[in-house]
Amino acid sequence: MTSLFSPLTLANGSTLPNRLAKAAMEENMADAGQFPGRALRDLYAQWAQGGAGLIITGNVMIDGRALTGPGGVVLEKGTPLDAFKAWAKASQSHGAQVWMQINHPGRQVFARQGGNAWAPSAIALDLGKHSKLFAAPIEMNEAQIQEVITRFADTAFAAQQAGFDGVELHAAHGYLISQFLSPRSNQRTDQWGGSLENRAALLLQVVQRVRECVGPKFGVGIKLNSADFQRGGFSEDDAAQVIEWLNPLGVDLLELSGGSYEAPAMQGRTGDGRTLAREAYFLEFATKLAQRARMPVMTTGGIRRFEVAEQVAQSGIAVVGMATALALQPDLPKRWQAGETGAQAQPLSLAWKDKAMSGLAVMALVKRQLRALGSGAAAAPYSPPSAVATLIWDQIRTQLLNRRYAKFLRSRPLP
Ligand SMILES: Cc1cc2nc3c(=O)[nH]c(=O)nc-3n(C[C@H](O)[C@H](O)[C@H](O)COP(=O)(O)O)c2cc1C
């Protein structure tokens, strides 16, 4: 029986001290200049103390001209590394590995934020009456695709130079790589579109280029959707095939998730209800897909109780990922290891009629909690503040950050 607290040695030769991972959560807490600052360091020091064996950062942008949110951290070739070194060190202070998640948002860029919304095809997000929240995407040309591949590798190399133990490439949740994978968002007729092989080429080339740049000893992980949960989207069979192609490429960890802004399965909600029933939303998909994967598999989504985490570990899943639960209760791993197996985080969901708004409100509640943790002001046990007030405050804060980001953008040319 695999214990949650047994170490795991990865293909790169490094060892995770246990099987619990803090999954990526975009904090939107960068300092001016899109650098990680004190608040992020203090937040990550809490997770370091909390006992997870692997800490994956919120997504860090490979291109300052395209952010998932205006308070996003940006790491590019030539970015000064001091702030990143301090961030890595704070995260590693209690023996965990820290991996930087690196990402390009593609078309999932908010319209009010500005910057580039590059995409495989000029197909806008469909969020019904909220679709206008997102920028109109432009179809990438060959030079832009090559630039993105180079940027992923440059950012991974910079993360390595800054002292991170690995990177996780974000290929899930409807961001750029996942847009290439899905036939709904990728309708190209060149070598990057059409067959699954062509749609997966961006991911596979990014993985290869990153590995070439960082060498064999650095952690390289991928977060992939087990499915998009949309008719005509990236399916479970597609995921199985992509995993077969990833097998020989030296990937140390494969995190399985699902969904996108259009179908937020990662929040436990899908059109067909397939992820709703369980607490570990993607366990069934992950156990099936793990049989095709030669690298260790991690799954994230809905896990907040010890029994469920154990069940996941007993199902052939090497690493148990938790995001929201560790925002509400950062020391769950430490408590569980000390035998306090009744410790758990409360579920955080809203049953608003407007699903898009309730998704944004849940994200705003979690991000508010991350800021409270980063400033040392988080109350224990967590008591949820008003979701409406939090959403409104989030909009105001976002506007202020958008203004700051506009200045950052003005300091660099948009092609
Ligand atoms: C506030 C917030 C920010 C998130 N940001 C990211 C991100 O940057 N990258 C990512 O891969 N997933 C992100 N996620 C998704 C989580 O990693 C995770 O897949 C999802 O929340 C389901 O897991 P959970 O139920 O343990 O929260 C985010 C989730 C939340 C709540």
Side-chain angles (χ1 to χ4, degrees):
M1 283 227 310
T2 310
S3 152
L4 287 174
F5 295 97
S6 62
L8 175 70
T9 298
L10 302 174
N12 69 351
S14 75
T15 300
L16 301 178
N18 64 51
R19 309 304 183 99
L20 293 167
K22 179 273 187 197
M25 272 179 285
E26 173 190 330
E27 313 84 5
N28 220 15
M29 281 166 59
D31 279 0
Q34 313 305 133
F35 286 106
R38 181 170 180 177
L40 276 174
R41 279 199 306 278
D42 290 352
L43 170 61
Y44 277 74
Q46 298 229 19
W47 278 318
Q49 281 171 31
L54 173 63
I55 296 174
I56 304 175
T57 68
N59 62 174
V60 168
M61 301 301 119
I62 62 164
D63 184 344
R65 302 161 305 176
L67 267 54
T68 54
V73 175
V74 175
L75 179 59
E76 299 171 313
K77 189 175 182 174
T79 303
L81 292 181
D82 283 353
F84 291 89
K85 287 181 181 166
W87 191 21
K89 220 167 157 191
S91 312
Q92 291 157 331
S93 56
H94 285 70
Q97 284 201 23
V98 59
W99 290 20
M100 181 186 287
Q101 186 185 63
I102 61 178
N103 191 22
H104 189 296
R107 66 176 182 169
Q108 290 190 159
V109 167
F110 289 101
R112 286 198 175 161
Q113 183 180 290
N116 289 333
W118 287 357
S121 304
I123 299 170
L125 275 180
D126 181 6
L127 278 182
K129 65 180 183 198
H130 300 300
S131 299
K132 290 227 156 63
L133 283 176
F134 287 89
I138 62 151
E139 179 173 318
M140 292 168 79
N141 62 31
E142 181 63 29
Q144 290 163 337
I145 294 173
Q146 293 302 332
E147 179 183 334
V148 160
I149 297 170
T150 303
R151 280 180 174 275
F152 268 105
D154 287 344
T155 301
F157 184 70
Q160 185 179 34
Q161 298 302 304
F164 286 79
D165 300 287
V167 286
E168 182 184 63
L169 314 175
H170 200 344
H173 300 173
Y175 293 113
L176 185 66
I177 296 180
S178 151
Q179 285 158 37
F180 269 82
L181 287 170
S182 166
R184 286 171 65 101
S185 45
N186 180 353
Q187 296 185 1
R188 299 178 74 95
T189 52
D190 61 6
Q191 76 270 30
W192 303 101
S195 66
L196 178 61
E197 196 174 1
N198 287 357
R199 285 181 276 120
L202 179 66
L203 169 63
L204 301 177
Q205 292 197 25
V206 167
V207 175
Q208 283 168 299
R209 189 78 77 76
V210 165
R211 182 51 88 194
E212 274 164 30
C213 273
V214 297
K217 294 192 175 153
F218 192 61
V220 176
I222 296 171
K223 186 162 185 169
L224 185 71
N225 275 358
S226 51
D228 285 351
F229 300 95
Q230 287 188 296
R231 197 168 302 131
F234 183 73
S235 67
E236 193 185 347
D237 288 343
D238 292 343
Q241 177 58 68
V242 169
I243 290 169
E244 301 269 356
W245 288 327
L246 288 170
N247 275 335
L249 299 186
V251 174
D252 295 295
L253 187 65
L254 176 71
E255 178 182 359
L256 291 170
S257 184
S260 64
Y261 271 112
E262 284 182 344
M266 63 286 203
Q267 292 189 340
R269 291 185 292 111
T270 59
D272 60 11
R274 279 168 86 197
T275 64
L276 270 174
R278 276 166 259 107
E279 283 184 47
Y281 310 141
F282 303 108
L283 180 57
E284 203 178 306
F285 293 98
T287 45
K288 259 206 248 162
L289 291 170
Q291 290 165 16
R292 307 285 284 271
R294 292 215 293 269
M295 67 293 274
V297 167
M298 158 173 166
T299 190
T300 304
I303 303 161
R304 57 187 178 79
R305 293 192 301 127
F306 179 76
E307 289 77 9
V308 177
E310 278 231 309
Q311 188 198 341
V312 172
Q314 299 318 326
S315 311
I317 303 300
V319 178
V320 179
M322 289 185 285
T324 309
L326 293 185
L328 307 189
Q329 188 83 54
D331 61 354
L332 267 187
K334 196 161 98 180
R335 288 175 179 231
W336 290 348
Q337 187 163 22
E340 219 187 297
T341 52
Q344 58 176 275
Q346 60 180 281
L348 191 61
S349 64
L350 294 169
W352 292 359
K353 244 198 192 147
D354 186 330
K355 287 190 175 151
M357 275 302 130
S358 79
L360 288 175
V362 168
M363 297 284 283
L365 281 169
V366 177
K367 286 181 187 172
R368 179 173 174 167
Q369 167 71 0
L370 298 183
R371 291 195 297 277
L373 284 173
S375 68
Y382 176 72
S383 104
S386 149
V388 175
T390 302
L391 190 54
I392 293 169
W393 170 235
D394 190 68
Q395 302 295 310
I396 297 168
R397 187 174 177 271
T398 300
Q399 267 185 34
L400 296 172
L401 287 173
N402 278 342
R403 261 186 239 159
R404 193 185 75 182
Y405 176 56
K407 269 196 216 155
F408 173 88
L409 268 183
R410 278 197 296 276
S411 70
R412 40 193 302 147
L414 277 178

